Amino acid sequence: MDEDRICCDLMRTQLKHRCEQHPNPHDCPDVLVIHSPRFDEYGIPIRDAGASSMFMRFCPWYGASMPESKRDL
Ligand SMILES: [Zn+2]
Ligand SMILES: [Zn+2]
């Protein structure tokens, strides 16, 4: 994750969130946003016990554009 691209403090706080009880952020109910290094995507985790997430195009708090997904590369 490239720190300079993080759009706002709320997003930064979210992405830096680490939970003792849930080493996997997908398991943690406090995590609203996760960064997927594979595609360089920011997304909303889907609680299906897997690692899926919904790609976000815009910051949910301030509406800033998020980086394009690298999924198509
Ligand atoms: Zn933001
Ligand atoms: Zn947790």
Side-chain angles (χ1 to χ4, degrees), residues 17 19-22 27-31:
H17 179 78
C19 178
E20 303 256 310
Q21 291 157 56
H22 308 102
D27 298 333
C28 183
D30 294 331
V31 171

Side-chain angles (χ1 to χ4, degrees), residues 11-71:
M11 184 65 81
R12 191 184 311 274
T13 306
Q14 272 294 311
L15 293 170
K16 284 185 184 297
H17 179 78
R18 295 290 175 271
C19 178
E20 303 256 310
Q21 291 157 56
H22 308 102
N24 182 346
H26 279 278
D27 298 333
C28 183
D30 294 331
V31 171
L32 304 176
V33 175
I34 55 169
H35 177 247
S36 140
R38 180 145 172 244
F39 298 120
D40 194 19
E41 283 181 357
Y42 296 84
I44 300 163
I46 298 169
R47 316 290 178 183
D48 62 355
S52 41
S53 61
M54 267 179 120
F55 174 53
M56 278 181 337
R57 253 173 233 292
F58 299 98
C59 167
W61 295 283
Y62 294 103
S65 292
M66 305 305 288
E68 287 291 319
S69 168
K70 306 285 191 298
R71 204 175 280 258

Side-chain angles (χ1 to χ4, degrees), residues 1-7 12 15 35 40 42 67:
M1 159 192 9
D2 183 348
E3 286 269 339
D4 293 343
R5 287 185 336 188
I6 296 178
C7 56
R12 191 184 311 274
L15 293 170
H35 177 247
D40 194 19
Y42 296 84

